[in-house]
Amino acid sequence: MNSKSVSVGISHPFDCNYIEGNKEQLLVIQEQHIDAHLFEQLLAMGFRRNGNSIYKPRCPSCQACQSIRLNVHDFALSKRQKRTLKNNQDLHWKVNYHTRPEHFELYQRYINERHNDGPMYPASQNQYDDFLLSDWLPPMFIEVFDKDKLIAVAVTDNMPHSFSAIYSYFDPDYSNRSLGSLMILIQCQLAKSMGKRFLYLGYQIDQNRKMRYKRQYRPYQILTPQGWKISEDLEPLSC
């Protein structure tokens, strides 16, 4: 990181949202003057954004959360991913730099119908705003349409040399379309076309069934104590 100092705090332990029975603790950036350049450096150190907050898991007895990213110039489509693109050729997408009411309406349906057993249920406008929006780095909204109908949104941060995939959600009626995968593929394609190097996918958590999918995008990089490593052959970390 550059010479600019950053203040870091640590949270109290709380129940982990990803591994039942575990306690979670977070490093939290307390710097007030964040911008895209500084955030990109923090991403490379394993931090993530949640609203205006920047955090990194720092659990004393667990290392299950592994920062994962793609070099978009090395990424190669699998047969399954090629089928996903082919099966969704009738859809189209565009980038919007502002949120709009339809985004929350779709998010609300997605959370309330597909994740009603999780910490984000029930969805609310305040929760949506606090989770996805940011005062210092307004995100992009990659919108996917079936004709004129909005069916999916990928909320994405745009930095000088990378994208960060914050969250994606879609119309539950289109569950058979693999739209979660499609939105990662679109983000990868867009990042490459804009001259970016990396697409950050957040944390890979092998012990959580819903968080294992990111290893399907190859080759990927995992942040280890020795730095970022191409790790297709790396054994999953255990908790």
Side-chain angles (χ1 to χ4, degrees):
M1 188 174 291
N2 60 27
S3 58
K4 181 180 176 65
S5 62
V6 174
S7 177
V8 181
I10 190 163
S11 73
H12 293 291
F14 57 94
D15 291 339
C16 180
N17 289 322
Y18 300 109
I19 301 176
E20 187 175 356
N22 279 20
K23 290 291 184 181
E24 184 176 357
Q25 217 167 358
L26 302 176
L27 291 179
V28 182
I29 299 296
Q30 298 176 323
E31 171 63 44
Q32 298 298 312
H33 303 289
I34 301 291
D35 58 22
H37 295 271
L38 178 55
F39 181 49
E40 188 164 47
Q41 294 177 63
L42 292 167
L43 274 172
M45 297 171 62
F47 285 86
R48 289 283 288 166
R49 177 179 77 77
N50 184 326
N52 286 320
S53 301
I54 301 174
Y55 69 95
K56 177 181 179 180
R58 184 66 175 271
C59 307
S61 60
C62 182
Q63 294 181 310
C65 294
Q66 305 169 79
S67 293
I68 186 169
R69 71 185 183 185
L70 304 178
N71 183 324
V72 298
H73 299 280
D74 293 339
F75 172 64
L77 291 167
S78 67
K79 291 181 179 178
R80 181 176 181 178
Q81 290 155 2
K82 289 177 181 177
R83 286 197 301 271
T84 295
L85 291 174
K86 183 177 180 180
N87 292 340
N88 288 293
Q89 289 182 104
D90 57 322
L91 306 179
H92 64 279
W93 60 271
K94 69 177 183 179
V95 176
N96 191 336
Y97 290 92
H98 302 280
T99 189
R100 54 196 183 93
E102 291 85 352
H103 292 169
F104 171 69
E105 292 167 8
L106 186 60
Y107 171 86
Q108 186 176 42
R109 276 200 64 202
Y110 176 78
I111 294 297
N112 291 352
E113 294 186 29
R114 288 182 60 91
H115 294 286
N116 53 20
D117 59 345
M120 293 188 291
Y121 175 83
S124 70
Q125 184 69 60
N126 285 341
Q127 176 217 64
Y128 173 88
D129 294 346
D130 291 344
F131 172 35
L132 297 176
L133 307 187
S134 168
D135 296 329
W136 49 266
L137 185 61
M140 303 186 304
F141 300 89
I142 302 174
E143 303 173 329
V144 180
F145 294 87
D146 181 3
K147 300 182 176 62
D148 294 329
K149 182 181 181 182
L150 178 69
I151 63 169
V153 177
V155 184
T156 311
D157 283 343
N158 180 8
M159 277 73 63
H161 308 291
S162 59
F163 280 177
S164 177
I166 301 299
Y167 196 69
S168 296
Y169 53 93
F170 56 85
D171 187 327
D173 292 342
Y174 288 75
S175 296
N176 63 341
R177 289 279 197 148
S178 300
L179 293 182
S181 176
L182 177 66
M183 286 184 283
I184 291 178
L185 300 178
I186 291 172
Q187 288 174 97
C188 195
Q189 175 187 335
L190 181 61
K192 187 174 181 179
S193 71
M194 293 177 64
K196 310 296 182 181
R197 186 178 181 189
F198 296 116
L199 170 62
Y200 287 86
L201 295 178
Y203 299 119
Q204 167 69 23
I205 306 174
D206 292 330
Q207 289 87 339
N208 184 299
R209 178 179 55 82
K210 295 181 179 180
M211 299 291 286
R212 296 173 187 165
Y213 64 91
K214 296 168 187 176
R215 289 185 183 271
Q216 299 171 12
Y217 302 86
R218 300 175 181 269
Y220 54 80
Q221 297 180 11
I222 292 285
L223 182 59
T224 73
Q226 293 74 42
W228 289 96
K229 295 190 179 296
I230 299 175
S231 51
E232 290 185 80
D233 300 323
L234 188 69
E235 288 293 327
L237 294 180
S238 60
C239 184

